[in-house]
Amino acid sequence: MFTQATASILASMPLACVLIGQDARILSMNAPAEELLGANVVGRHHVTVLRQPALLEAIEQALHGDIPQKTRYNSLSEESDSVYRVTVSPVAGETGEAILVVFEDVTDVERAGEMRRDFVANVTHELKTPLTALLGFVETLRGAARDDAEARDRFLGIMEREGERMNRLINDLLSLSRVESSERRRPTERVRIDELIISTMSALRPLAEQVGVTLRHRIEGDGEDLTAPCDPDQLTQVFSNLIENAIKYGGTGEIVDIRITAQPREIAFRGPAVRVDVIDYGEGFDPLHIPRLTERFYRVDAHRSREKGGTGLGLAIAKHIVNRHRGRLRIESTPGEGSMFTVLLAAGA
Ligand code: ADP
């Protein structure tokens, strides 16, 4: 049954494949299968190698029933957990029947599906909360507060805020999907980053003044050294989000510092870079949050974010845009002292 031709077919398969003979012993396997199940198992009884009951059951059925089977296999290792879709098929050979077991790694597909489901659940929840409040107040205005001018005014104010929250959320979702669809195209327009930031700061100054925050900036370098290929609208959004967060979470009466520096040599790009630091001296957060901070809807303090009108999407959008620019977004924070969000962009051509 097991010929040179069979071995070379198995070797050319990109998926992990194991061939089991009628005596239930492993006849052959390819390199991906060795990686999955370990080397030097050819000749052993398959039960001692493929220990998972669902798979053993499928092989048993295929051995006796001659019918192809489908099942799943989980591989747990120190680095990662993987899920495989497994096909168990009886195959005819020169000297009798054998069973071909093929493992298809579906970990990424399953993870993507899970993320999509989580995302839909989150969006639904985020929209439902203000919507419930809006509908509740409409009912109150029709009933109990119908003739109470003062209450009506107050409720309309709340309804306006909730409506604005939904509007912000929808705008952020649209930005996110726009950024995602442009992610593969690299931006090319050459822009002076210092000028872009100064105009972003001017747009945000009224918001800063409302909460008594002073925006300061310092520029090191000039001209060509501060120029980077970018998508100016998208980068404006990144710096708006970062500066707005620094204003929101930086504490009233505080300062937000923005430093723009030309770096002749940045290790991350093996070349020149423009570095932008947005620094606040506010509440900060435990650095353990940093790896998850750019996930959609991840918030250190959900209540506080909502109270400040946050959508939980600002940093996710920023991260996507910086990735599209092949740049880096770095985050540092010390609870009680403040945070620094750094964007690095490759400068030059
Ligand atoms: P949000 O709309 O909630 O501000 P972001 O994606 O912009 O969403 O930020 C995610 C979370 O990161 C925020 O909810 C907040 O907990 C935290 N965060 C962001 N920037 C700062 C900052 N400058 N200081 C403290 N916490 C911050």
Side-chain angles (χ1 to χ4, degrees):
M1 149 74 213
F2 175 53
T3 61
Q4 204 54 38
T6 315
S8 71
I9 290 172
L10 282 197
S12 70
M13 298 274 279
L15 304 177
C17 301
V18 178
L19 198 60
I20 300 169
Q22 275 300 324
D23 61 356
R25 290 182 185 278
I26 293 178
L27 284 172
S28 177
M29 68 203 304
N30 62 3
E34 279 187 13
E35 209 169 293
L36 175 65
L37 304 165
N40 302 321
V41 297
V42 170
R44 272 172 54 184
H45 196 287
H46 75 272
V47 172
T48 63
V49 181
L50 310 165
R51 293 154 186 263
Q52 294 179 16
L55 177 54
L56 296 179
E57 167 84 29
I59 293 171
E60 199 61 28
Q61 295 222 357
L63 271 171
H64 295 113
D66 218 18
I67 303 164
Q69 306 285 325
K70 284 191 191 305
T71 184
R72 290 160 74 79
Y73 184 83
N74 298 304
S75 129
L76 313 174
S77 74
E78 268 170 33
E79 303 96 63
S80 63
D81 296 350
S82 304
V83 186
Y84 294 84
R85 194 184 293 148
V86 186
T87 318
V88 182
S89 323
V91 287
E94 292 90 337
T95 59
E97 290 271 314
I99 299 291
L100 179 64
V101 186
V102 180
F103 297 81
E104 184 191 353
D105 189 343
V106 291
T107 317
D108 288 346
V109 181
E110 300 227 331
R111 206 167 282 155
E114 201 175 299
M115 278 170 70
R116 202 172 44 235
R117 283 190 295 278
D118 281 356
F119 181 64
V120 172
N122 274 324
V123 171
T124 313
H125 174 75
E126 296 285 339
L127 281 171
K128 207 166 165 44
T129 315
L131 192 59
T132 307
L134 273 174
L135 293 175
F137 283 116
V138 168
E139 206 171 301
T140 318
L141 286 173
R142 280 222 170 108
R146 194 183 192 106
D147 302 314
D148 181 343
E150 198 186 314
R152 211 164 47 213
D153 238 27
R154 195 153 41 85
F155 293 159
L156 283 172
I158 302 175
M159 289 167 74
E160 187 176 22
R161 271 206 306 282
E162 295 299 330
E164 280 166 357
R165 176 194 299 283
M166 290 171 78
N167 203 18
R168 266 197 308 276
L169 184 65
I170 286 162
N171 284 336
D172 277 359
L173 287 169
L174 285 174
S175 295
L176 200 57
S177 86
R178 226 176 290 126
V179 175
E180 275 178 340
S181 63
S182 69
E183 204 153 33
R184 288 179 196 289
R185 274 176 282 123
R186 218 168 158 162
T188 49
E189 194 175 333
R190 295 175 53 72
V191 173
R192 281 279 297 269
I193 303 300
D194 52 334
E195 289 169 5
L196 183 138
I197 287 179
I198 286 170
S199 82
T200 311
M201 285 172 64
S202 311
L204 287 174
R205 210 154 257 131
L207 178 77
E209 277 164 11
Q210 256 175 38
V211 289
V213 167
T214 310
L215 298 182
R216 296 194 305 204
H217 72 278
R218 196 176 78 201
I219 300 172
E220 280 174 30
D222 58 85
E224 199 52 21
D225 297 342
L226 292 169
T227 303
C230 73
D231 177 325
D233 289 342
Q234 286 192 347
L235 267 200
T236 301
Q237 191 165 9
V238 170
F239 295 119
S240 275
N241 288 353
L242 297 182
I243 298 170
E244 232 183 282
N245 278 350
I247 297 171
K248 273 197 302 200
Y249 302 107
T252 40
E254 289 284 356
I255 285 167
V256 169
D257 275 322
I258 295 128
R259 290 195 309 230
I260 308 143
T261 318
Q263 289 197 168
R265 196 173 158 71
E266 163 57 46
I267 300 171
F269 311 132
R270 296 205 195 96
V274 183
R275 174 186 173 124
V276 181
D277 300 303
V278 178
I279 306 160
D280 70 67
Y281 306 94
E283 60 203 63
F285 45 83
D286 192 317
L288 70 85
H289 294 287
I290 292 174
R292 300 202 56 196
L293 217 53
T294 53
E295 283 176 19
R296 297 156 188 193
F297 298 115
Y298 187 86
R299 295 155 161 131
V300 174
D301 177 345
H303 176 70
R304 194 143 163 66
S305 155
R306 292 216 175 82
E307 179 188 282
K308 301 257 179 194
T311 60
L313 292 174
L315 290 179
I317 295 171
K319 175 82 182 175
H320 267 293
I321 296 177
V322 172
N323 279 353
R324 183 189 167 206
H325 286 74
R326 311 285 193 275
R328 302 284 186 280
L329 174 65
R330 292 188 182 147
I331 305 171
E332 286 172 35
S333 191
T334 312
E337 288 184 21
S339 315
M340 176 159 91
F341 287 75
T342 300
V343 175
L344 285 168
L345 296 166

